[in-house]
Amino acid sequence: MLLCIDTGNTNTVFSIWNGSEFIATWRTSTEVQRTADQYYVWLSSLMAFQKVEADITEVIISSTVPRVVFNLRVFANRYFECRPLVVGKPECLLPHAPRVDAGTTVGPDRLVNTAAAFDRFGGDLIVVDFGTATTFDVVAQDGAYVGGVISPGVNTSLESLHLKAAALPHVDVTMPDKVIGTNTVACMQSGVFWGYVGLVRETCNRIKAEYERPMQVIATGGLAPLFNQGHKLFDAFDEFLTIHGLVVIHNYNKDHNTELGNT
């Protein structure tokens, strides 16, 4: 079975793929000091608690935090006796190479989202990912990543506002009843919610105008449904888009190696 590991700046997701479906998914905070042994104790304990039986023989990793990759490699080597495939490394092939400025390094998460979105929805897409940063990935008709936009994430913006303005509290993101707030919390919630609705809509409209082709907008990330309430910002929402992309990339590499006669 395949263990998919998606490490973001805030959280890391582990999912087990049995060849036809994900049989288990767990989430933990991303910590650069976590060792290979700690990863295994955490994962094996959850598997035992939920009675998940899985013979993991392959591992694929996508990480936006380079410092965690070493321990995840050791984790895969030591406990599953395999060399993990790491998205963004030269040995990890992509179904469609990105077309960006020479010398530009595209984040692994964006490459994975692109592969997943093209597999599920075809080309001519804008993929909006609500994470630590809010990213907009443009997927061409042939499935290639051709650029995008990076904005501060919703929670990142709220945390910064709280830290930089001593009188402003930390608030949860929610859709306010009214645009005009009559207390501090309501004012902040309105600013964040409607501000990001406007950011997403305007950014997508400008991408579409520049791209000059009809495009679908695909959203992923936990906050996407919140911002779609009553406002048709997205054509589709896929909570597990990134994890699905890891399977797509893994299968592509496996098929390629089979064609070349490699194991």
Side-chain angles (χ1 to χ4, degrees):
M1 294 186 187
L2 173 66
L3 175 61
C4 299
I5 305 175
D6 170 35
T7 297
N9 291 292
T10 304
N11 293 314
T12 298
V13 177
F14 289 69
S15 291
I16 300 175
W17 175 258
N18 69 359
S20 59
E21 63 179 352
F22 289 106
I23 61 173
T25 298
W26 300 282
R27 184 181 301 267
T28 185
S29 59
T30 298
E31 298 176 4
V32 296
Q33 70 272 24
R34 187 171 295 178
T35 67
D37 301 326
Q38 289 174 316
Y39 279 118
Y40 181 73
V41 170
W42 173 81
L43 182 63
S44 60
S45 297
L46 286 171
M47 291 175 65
F49 178 76
Q50 295 185 328
K51 298 181 173 58
V52 175
E53 296 182 3
D55 180 18
I56 296 171
T57 57
E58 298 172 293
V59 177
I60 182 169
I61 301 166
S62 170
S63 177
T64 59
V65 186
R67 290 175 61 192
V68 307
V69 174
F70 174 78
N71 282 325
L72 287 172
R73 282 183 180 272
V74 174
F75 163 72
N77 288 327
R78 180 176 298 167
Y79 292 104
F80 304 116
E81 299 181 349
C82 70
R83 181 178 181 179
L85 192 63
V86 181
V87 178
K89 299 298 182 182
E91 64 272 16
C92 181
L93 304 176
L94 299 172
H96 304 89
R99 294 195 293 272
V100 292
D101 294 343
T104 299
T105 299
V106 182
D109 55 331
R110 310 185 80 174
L111 297 173
V112 173
N113 281 346
T114 296
F118 182 72
D119 182 70
R120 287 194 163 166
F121 303 100
D124 295 329
L125 306 173
I126 303 170
V127 181
V128 186
D129 189 349
F130 289 85
T132 305
T134 299
T135 58
F136 300 75
D137 302 326
V138 179
V139 184
Q141 187 178 32
D142 63 356
Y145 171 86
V146 293
V149 176
I150 301 175
S151 299
V154 179
N155 287 318
T156 303
S157 296
L158 273 174
E159 188 65 24
S160 178
L161 189 61
H162 170 61
L163 292 175
K164 297 296 183 180
L168 298 181
H170 182 79
V171 299
D172 294 329
V173 185
T174 187
M175 179 179 176
D177 295 329
K178 300 183 297 181
V179 175
I180 302 173
T182 53
N183 56 70
T184 301
V185 170
C187 289
M188 292 175 66
Q189 289 175 332
S190 182
V192 170
F193 182 84
W194 294 114
Y196 270 87
V197 168
L199 182 150
V200 172
R201 179 183 288 120
E202 182 67 12
T203 301
C204 288
N205 285 343
R206 287 183 175 270
I207 290 173
K208 290 176 182 179
E210 190 171 296
Y211 192 73
E212 297 182 333
R213 289 179 62 92
M215 304 180 81
Q216 293 186 80
V217 180
I218 312 301
T220 190
L223 290 177
L226 170 66
F227 286 98
N228 207 36
Q229 291 184 79
H231 304 275
K232 189 64 176 177
L233 294 177
F234 317 120
D235 295 293
F237 166 67
D238 189 335
E239 181 181 2
F240 299 106
L241 188 70
T242 307
I243 289 294
H244 175 70
L246 288 174
V247 174
V248 171
I249 292 175
H250 173 267
N251 289 343
Y252 179 79
N253 281 264
K254 194 169 184 178
D255 291 343
H256 181 80
N257 287 331
T258 299
E259 291 176 3
L260 295 178
N262 300 328
T263 58

